[in-house]
Amino acid sequence: MAGFDKVVSSYAEAMAGLTDNMTIIAGGFGLCGIPEGLIKQIKNMQTKGLTIVSNNCGVDDFGLGILLEDKQVKKMVSSYVGENALFEQQLLNGELEVELTPQGTLAEKMRAAGAGIPAFYTATGYGTPVGEGKEVKEFNGRPYILEESIMGDFAIVKAYKADRFGNCIYRHTAQNFNPMAATAGKITVVEVEEIVEPGELDPSQIHTPGIYVDRVIQGSFEKRIERKVLAK
Amino acid sequence: MAGFDKVVSSYAEAMAGLTDNMTIIAGGFGLCGIPEGLIKQIKNMQTKGLTIVSNNCGVDDFGLGILLEDKQVKKMVSSYVGENALFEQQLLNGELEVELTPQGTLAEKMRAAGAGIPAFYTATGYGTPVGEGKEVKEFNGRPYILEESIMGDFAIVKAYKADRFGNCIYRHTAQNFNPMAATAGKITVVEVEEIVEPGELDPSQIHTPGIYVDRVIQGSFEKRIERKVLAK
Amino acid sequence: MALSREQIAMRVAQEFQDGDYINLGIGIPTLAANYVPADIEVMLQSENGLLGMGPNPTEDELDADMINAGKETVTAITGASIFNSAESFAMIRGGHVDFTVLGAFEVDVFGNIASWMIPNKLIKGMGGAMDLVAGAKNIIVTMTHADKKGNSKLLPKCTLPLTGVNCITRIITDLAVLEVKNQAFYLKERAPGVSVEEIREKTAGELVVEGEIPEMSFA
Amino acid sequence: MALSREQIAMRVAQEFQDGDYINLGIGIPTLAANYVPADIEVMLQSENGLLGMGPNPTEDELDADMINAGKETVTAITGASIFNSAESFAMIRGGHVDFTVLGAFEVDVFGNIASWMIPNKLIKGMGGAMDLVAGAKNIIVTMTHADKKGNSKLLPKCTLPLTGVNCITRIITDLAVLEVKNQAFYLKERAPGVSVEEIREKTAGELVVEGEIPEMSFA
């Protein structure tokens, strides 16, 4: 009887089942709140042809950027990319495809996927390259475009604390895309700073209820700061 | 300089601006987590022709049910109604209109309104009376219906704790529709059990950020239990 | 002999698997929580916003802010989570709830279900039922096989306004366990002492009987 | 004389009203936070999920989990709230943010804005800019009136791929404050010492000058 114990003890178990050409939804904003160990595991697995849905693609030697080194990524769905040289090079060489998606639309596409909503209307991107080829409909005299949800074979998530049932909380702005990503994976894996006992997290304060989570792994994090700016 | 101090000191101030034929979005599920004092204030104001969007309509002498006594309600948009005799009578007399809406669709309509999403697709209600006359579109071979968001002139919300900035938390299952309702009012009024100092609520644990809230009032609550069932 | 309400609930509980998230409707479905096999764990979702619903409270535990979707006072188990209604139905609509068990007035061979409205009677509303049948991965309908007048509730086509279409795959009645597929009801099990003939007689939609039909077991 | 970046930011800050929720883009808009009038309070929204953004941290306060939309380390003020990206853009898309201030490459007389993409240069993406211009109640564009070669950025029609359509109503440049309406730029204020003629010369789209145009005041 495993019941609801979702804790796995190795990164290999955490990402078991990931194969070439899968789609991965990843939490994180810049280098903040990223599942560092799960990303390293994907690199170790050398899985190829991946589509990665993530607001950004890390930097040259950290975060999702390390998956570029061995050309594991076929396509990025992101709102802002190119913080690293390798990304730029692979994009210009045509080795990497990018689908630029407005940040709010990206967050909502993940949420919608998890919530069983296949598509929604938004004004964001209407009349711009983002709206091209998309269905347009007017509501109260304003035009909106239809955006479809986006689901992953895997979702990789970074949480602050989680219990073995998969209930998660996030810390400060490391929350970002993580809660939506957690809902949008056929298999959702959470890498966590601290595993706590069930009951330690206040039920009304849980950001991600365990029902969305399939696997929990205790991580260890470098938590690199992308732009350290101090008070003058 | 009022800044972000949203606390008002009277129910009259709290509901100032409410006029006949307006639409009110109300939080609460059954009698749980309802803004008792704001509802009484609406009764005192004798505003007529109201459209009320709320999962339920209270009971005969409590909650939204008290607005039926003087026929203040023109229309209810709800998922489940008729827990009181007056409701039934007014419905059969044609004095009251009801738009039955599936519970999840109702919650999502409120959220969508607050989030600037005018419409979304859902499988809920397809092929049923709820889907009649609504746009149908297939995604991945499954038919979905288009549901439009629903915005209120006012939203009335019941919170557990709030600070003067309007940041709110809810307690246990008294959360229910309240966070969505809070986002869906042109004017959002929160009646709260306890007003706390800014900073007392952990920023990462706030259910409703103050940006959605226009007015906060210290309430006093009976918290009536609709179906008291004890362990055997 | 036809099953009692408790026996239907017991048979329903046999469907549950370790680790299942389950939403139980009012009535017989709720009773199934009492018969979860001892060697598995399941977690109950209540659509007003509670995952990990526990039993009703003692007088000491009673709290007006802790209710279930039936508006009854309840408790939360250790490790429960509580959330808003949009999140709750995101779980349901998004297919994260493994099982929904609910009652019905009628089910037909297309897997359509009618459970919320009888025209010309006062209509109270569908609550969360339409979301549940549209969203759950597995739905079990529990009901009596026929109404009090003996009219079958398993029909070639539902006559009442629908709750959902093409969504019901499994039915547990006081007489039988049936699967819905290929526009027919497939008989899988009989209530102890109930004959295939009696089930056939009380099933208005096409009934398929393949091989020997075992009796339900309540060991 | 043309305004400095700091002076543009000072003029922008004069637009703010007590109780405004404001999202400031990277660059000149961010500077505006330094010039909020002493007699009002505003609250800064950072679209990665922070309402109530404070100043950058001291070395002691530094926390990798506290960043703003520019990925810079920041702090949160007392009474701040922190939330996920879907909630953050619900605020933005839903019109709850009172003011958005952002830079642009071009604005035209239709209120269209181009700010994220220059074809044949590497494209980094729009981040949250498209959501911000689609959602905010009031948008102020800050930019130099013309590029380094002297080409006007206030055009009859944008030439670059758009960020949003019919959304810009107010522009604050190093030379002027302008309103966008009736398919024209309406001159409202001049930078101190800058003539209407110079502004007209550097405004490619139709410029409307009604009456005496006052100089900006930085009292």
Side-chain angles (χ1 to χ4, degrees), chain A residues 27-29 32-34 158-159 170-179 193 223, chain D residues 48 64-67 82:
Chain A
F29 177 83
C32 182
I34 58 173
K158 191 268 169 177
Y170 306 93
R171 187 169 172 274
H172 300 337
T173 61
Q175 184 171 166
N176 58 62
F177 282 83
N178 281 298
E193 289 189 51
K223 288 207 192 181
Chain D
N48 58 318
D65 290 340
M66 273 302 297
I67 67 168
I82 298 175

Side-chain angles (χ1 to χ4, degrees), chain A residues 1-4 6 111 113-117 151 163 165 167 183-185 198-199 201-207 209-213, chain C residues 18-21 38-43 45 51 76-83 86-91 93-98:
Chain A
M1 177 171 89
F4 294 88
K6 298 174 181 182
R111 181 194 175 270
I117 291 172
M151 190 81 186
D163 63 27
F165 293 176
N167 294 310
T183 70
L201 305 176
D202 177 346
S204 295
Q205 299 289 11
I206 286 167
H207 292 124
I211 195 170
Y212 294 114
V213 174
Chain C
D18 193 33
D20 276 347
Y21 294 98
D39 59 344
I40 69 166
E41 277 184 76
V42 301
M43 207 176 284
Q45 205 257 14
L51 181 69
I77 64 165
T78 298
S81 54
I82 298 175
F83 32 80
E87 181 70 52
S88 186
F89 283 92
M91 280 175 200
R93 206 191 297 105
H96 305 279
V97 173
D98 298 297

Side-chain angles (χ1 to χ4, degrees), chain B residues 16 47 53 61 64 120 131-132 152-153 169 173 178 194 197 207 215 220 225 229:
Chain B
T47 324
V53 183
D61 62 339
L64 291 169
F120 58 91
E132 276 167 25
D153 298 296
I169 63 168
T173 61
N178 281 298
E194 186 187 346
E197 282 301 307
H207 293 124
R215 301 169 192 168
S220 66
I225 292 175
V229 184

Side-chain angles (χ1 to χ4, degrees), chain B residues 1-4 6 111 113-117 151 163 165 167 183-185 198-199 201-207 209-213, chain D residues 18-21 38-43 45 51 76-83 86-87 89-91 93-98:
Chain B
M1 177 171 89
F4 294 88
K6 299 174 180 182
R111 181 196 177 269
I117 291 171
M151 189 80 188
D163 62 28
F165 293 175
N167 295 309
T183 71
L201 305 177
D202 177 347
S204 294
Q205 298 289 10
I206 287 166
H207 293 124
I211 195 170
Y212 294 114
V213 175
Chain D
D18 194 33
D20 276 346
Y21 295 98
D39 60 342
I40 68 166
E41 276 185 77
V42 301
M43 206 176 284
Q45 203 257 15
L51 182 69
I77 64 165
T78 299
S81 54
I82 298 175
F83 32 81
E87 182 69 51
F89 283 92
M91 281 176 199
R93 206 192 295 105
H96 305 279
V97 173
D98 298 298

